[in-house]
Amino acid sequence: MYRSAGTGLMGFGAVLVVIGAILKFAVSASASGVSVPTVGLILLLVGIALFIAGLIALLVGGNRRSVTHEGVQYGQGGEERIIEQKDRWAS
């Protein structure tokens, strides 16, 4: 099964968005020297950026196809295996 890199980025971005939203809006604890809501906001923004980057990678890179043709050609010198491979963009 083929899985695009975009789906991995989108999944990781969604996880970061959830964790960031929890830290930003639901956690009221504080740590010395660290602002938990600020860390949550950073994770939220990075997660949104990764989700968008994954979506773009999925839309742009999802149209690429690789075609392979294999065959055997018989001639005077015996048989010869022919492999033709093309990378092309789907229309």
Side-chain angles (χ1 to χ4, degrees):
M1 176 182 211
Y2 175 73
R3 190 177 132 182
S4 173
T7 57
L9 280 177
M10 288 174 62
F12 186 59
V15 169
L16 287 182
V17 166
V18 170
I19 293 171
I22 290 171
L23 291 177
K24 173 70 177 159
F25 301 112
V27 175
S28 60
S30 62
S32 63
V34 177
S35 173
V36 175
T38 303
V39 172
L41 180 64
I42 291 169
L43 289 177
L44 189 62
L45 294 174
V46 169
I48 291 170
L50 282 177
F51 187 85
I52 292 171
L55 187 62
I56 291 171
L58 186 66
L59 292 175
V60 172
N63 291 334
R64 187 176 178 135
R65 301 286 186 259
S66 178
V67 178
T68 303
H69 296 284
E70 294 186 31
V72 177
Q73 182 177 8
Y74 299 99
Q76 293 176 344
E79 62 182 49
E80 178 181 354
R81 185 174 180 178
I82 299 171
I83 300 174
E84 180 182 339
Q85 186 171 7
K86 293 181 184 177
D87 286 333
R88 61 183 172 89
W89 294 93
S91 300

